[in-house]
Amino acid sequence: MAKEDVLYQHGTLALLVPGLYDGTMSVADLLTHGDTGIGTADGLDGEMVILEGKAYQISGAGTVREMAPDELTPFANVHFDDPTNDYDRENMTSEALEQEIFKAHTFANQFFAFKIHGT
């Protein structure tokens, strides 16, 4: 199986429910399993977005900062990005893009990710 076909999950949402918010994996270790994904920061302090091999913390106030390699996360999902489709469309609505993505793929009960560049 190709590395981009693997979704790596650290921690579970079930652990967060009872309040287990302490980070248990460093950002550096997490990034050995993927360069794209989502999660949360230590103490459930905002959202974590992993993009192009860098982890960013987004606070509740909307500020964004790059996370240090030694910072910890209690929960994250990452994979290695390997785009398989390129939709180069101008003036496409979000509804039309969604229809085009789902028309080309059957994602029933499967994780998938997409990245959009736009203006």
Side-chain angles (χ1 to χ4, degrees):
M1 179 178 298
K3 69 179 184 176
E4 57 271 357
D5 292 336
V6 175
L7 176 69
Y8 177 83
Q9 181 175 9
H10 173 71
T12 65
L13 289 174
L15 290 174
L16 299 178
V17 172
L20 300 174
Y21 305 147
D22 291 340
T24 52
M25 177 178 262
S26 73
V27 167
D29 287 342
L30 179 66
L31 293 177
T32 66
H33 298 282
D35 59 10
T36 303
I38 58 173
T40 189
D42 185 52
L44 215 60
D45 188 13
E47 297 295 323
M48 179 173 54
V49 174
I50 299 97
L51 186 61
E52 297 176 357
K54 296 182 179 181
Y56 301 92
Q57 180 184 15
I58 306 169
S59 74
T63 59
V64 179
R65 68 172 188 83
E66 186 173 348
M67 297 177 71
D70 63 343
E71 288 187 73
L72 300 175
T73 178
F75 172 79
N77 288 305
V78 294
H79 71 281
F80 286 100
D81 187 29
D82 182 28
T84 56
N85 295 92
D86 186 9
Y87 301 98
D88 186 12
R89 308 290 189 269
E90 290 187 28
N91 301 318
M92 180 178 265
T93 66
S94 60
E95 291 83 11
L97 176 61
E98 182 179 338
Q99 287 178 1
E100 190 159 340
I101 290 170
F102 284 106
K103 177 176 65 175
H105 303 283
T106 55
F107 292 115
N109 296 319
Q110 296 178 11
F111 289 103
F112 70 95
F114 58 93
K115 180 171 42 176
I116 298 175
H117 297 270
T119 54

